[in-house]
Structures are given as C-alpha cells and as structure tokens.
Amino acid sequence: MKISRSIVNSRRERILETVRNGGDVSVNSLSEQLQVSPLTIRRDLQYLEEHKLLERFYGGARTGNAEVPRQNSRELRKERIARYAAGLVEDGDSILLNTSSTALAMVKYITSRNVTIITNNGNIINEENPSQATIVLLGGELRYQKGAMVGDFTKNSLAYVAAKKCFVGCTGISPDIGMVTEMMSEVNLNQMMFQRVTGTTYILADSSKFGIRTGGVSCPPEKIENIITDVNAPAQMVCEFREMGTWVYQVD
C-alpha cells in the first residue's frame, strides 16, 4: 500500500510540474507522457484541483490562480539536492550528468572553475552557467519532449569519454531493486555513465522516488555508492541502504 501511494504521489507531482512548465496541458498528452489511462489522469486532476493546486478545464488543466505551497513542493526539494550536489564539484572536475532535471539544476549552482560537464541533456544549452563550465553534448537522436539525446550515436560518443564524477537522477530507487529508469532508451545510457567514471558516482533522488520500482534497472543496489536525497526519504529504506555500505546524504 505504501508503495502504491508513493507512485501515485510521484505521478501527481509530475503532473503539477508539467502544468507549471507548459501552461495549458491536455489529458491525452499527460496520459501519453505518464503512460496511464486518461481516466487515471482525470482522477489525478480532480484531486489536485480539490487541493487548489491547479484549475481544470474540459480536456485538460492549467495553473490558473492556484498557488503551490513552495515549502512542501518537490521542486524545492530537488533544488536543494541540486545545490548540495553542485557543492561536491571541485576545480578541474569533469562530470557526467544524465537527463534528470535535478542533475541539470546543478549547473547554475556550480562555482568551481575549469569544470567540464558531459551530458546527453539537450536542455543544458538554456541553463544558467555562472562558472562558465565547458559543456560537452554527447549528441544523438533528440527526444523533443524531454530534450534527451538517445540512441547508438549517443552510446558511441559516451564510450569515448571518461569523467571524474557522475551525478545521475532516476525514476525510482529501492534497496532491493536499485536505481530504475522509466524510459527504456535511457536505461543503457545511464548504465554506461556509471561505467565511464574514474572517481565517485552519485544518485540524485528526492524522497518521492523511494519505493518506485517500475522501469529498467540502471544500477543494482550493490553498485550504488552515494545517494543524495532529502530529509523526507523513508527512514527504513535509508537505513537499509546504509547497511549495504551506501552513503546517504539527506539535505534539509
């Protein structure tokens, strides 16, 4: 039951994020994006409207005059995780970032000099880059909705690079399954990122990601070195990870 509730909450938070970023959003587009039925989306939208988080209209939803409480929002947790992760980047580091929005948010918080960022996230070209880090785009087939570079070209490019550190976001994480990635086209790429690191790897996962097991396994639990999450992460799962030797950092 707890796992099901976690999945539902995660989906509703993704709906809120999509509505905030895209304005008017249709039920059908949300259904396709989240791979659930239109009926499920309508129920989610009804719940979110009842809690004054968005405004429904026929066939979709918009932000309207609803105001999301920032102190409890997933976005705020993600920003804090990103800021903490950025503090782990040192002068001269080369780092790998995947298509995670949390990993991407790190860029604007990096203050170290002479940093090289290697990524398959096409959205990075629009991101603030105050440290003037060198950006290396891996190229490949661009998935417009997410801005992700995928495919054989991306894999081949990744095979020719190595980085000191890796910061990877995920769809879900659990002590029994490990890190999972929802989009199958990105599973192997995330796996490769862990392999192309000479130093330390970090998984960025806000508390809503804990307990989600659907998707392809990008990193088994015994290979997870570090997790950066927030203080709301389930205590039992955090304890299990730590017992396996994983360092779990929880930001306030």
Side-chain angles (χ1 to χ4, degrees):
M1 180 63 70
K2 291 183 179 179
I3 295 174
S4 298
R5 186 177 298 111
S6 175
I7 293 173
V8 171
N9 289 340
S10 176
R11 186 180 65 242
R12 287 171 177 171
E13 286 175 339
R14 289 180 64 187
I15 290 173
L16 280 175
E17 183 178 8
T18 301
V19 171
R20 282 195 292 269
N21 293 337
D24 289 5
V25 180
S26 71
V27 168
N28 289 338
S29 66
L30 288 170
S31 173
E32 181 177 351
Q33 176 184 340
L34 300 176
Q35 298 182 353
V36 295
S37 70
L39 178 59
T40 297
I41 294 296
R42 292 189 187 97
R43 288 172 176 166
D44 287 341
L45 294 179
Q46 180 179 353
Y47 172 90
L48 294 170
E49 184 179 55
E50 288 173 352
H51 286 75
K52 304 185 185 304
L53 298 176
L54 51 70
E55 177 181 290
R56 286 191 298 165
F57 60 86
Y58 184 79
R62 62 172 65 92
T63 55
N65 295 322
E67 187 173 330
V68 178
R70 293 294 299 172
Q71 67 273 19
N72 296 320
S73 72
R74 179 185 178 193
E75 286 70 27
L76 183 55
R77 298 197 300 268
K78 290 167 61 175
E79 287 294 321
R80 288 174 174 170
I81 290 170
R83 186 184 294 109
Y84 182 92
L88 300 173
V89 179
E90 300 174 296
D91 290 349
D93 273 354
S94 56
I95 65 173
L96 279 165
L97 303 181
N98 71 343
T99 61
S100 157
S101 58
T102 308
L104 181 64
M106 286 177 56
V107 178
K108 62 179 175 287
Y109 296 118
I110 292 174
T111 58
S112 299
R113 312 307 299 180
N114 301 316
V115 173
T116 299
I117 300 172
I118 306 165
T119 183
N120 64 326
N121 194 332
N123 293 323
I124 199 170
I125 62 175
N126 298 317
E127 196 70 12
E128 295 178 35
N129 184 11
S131 70
Q132 296 299 298
T134 298
I135 307 297
V136 178
L137 274 173
L138 292 171
E141 177 186 349
L142 179 64
R143 291 179 58 239
Y144 281 100
Q145 189 172 25
K146 189 177 179 182
M149 307 267 189
V150 298
D152 289 340
F153 191 96
T154 313
K155 293 177 185 177
N156 292 338
S157 299
L158 185 54
Y160 281 95
V161 301
K164 185 176 180 180
K165 296 170 183 173
C166 178
F167 298 88
V168 178
C170 63
T171 298
I173 192 167
S174 59
D176 54 339
I177 299 295
M179 169 190 154
V180 295
T181 302
E182 180 181 23
M183 301 306 298
M184 292 297 106
S185 58
E186 297 181 40
V187 174
N188 289 339
L189 288 170
N190 287 339
Q191 290 173 346
M192 286 186 67
M193 285 192 177
F194 285 106
Q195 297 165 4
R196 304 307 300 172
V197 177
T198 61
T200 312
T201 61
Y202 299 88
I203 294 176
L204 313 181
D206 69 82
S207 53
S208 70
K209 303 293 182 68
F210 280 73
I212 296 179
R213 295 169 170 81
T214 54
V217 177
S218 291
C219 187
E222 66 273 12
K223 296 288 186 180
I224 297 176
E225 297 179 2
N226 301 278
I227 299 171
I228 304 176
T229 185
D230 57 78
V231 294
N232 295 319
Q236 180 60 37
M237 289 190 179
V238 170
C239 182
E240 289 181 42
F241 272 119
R242 286 173 172 161
E243 288 176 350
M244 291 189 294
T246 301
W247 286 91
V248 183
Y249 305 87
Q250 292 182 272
V251 300
D252 291 331

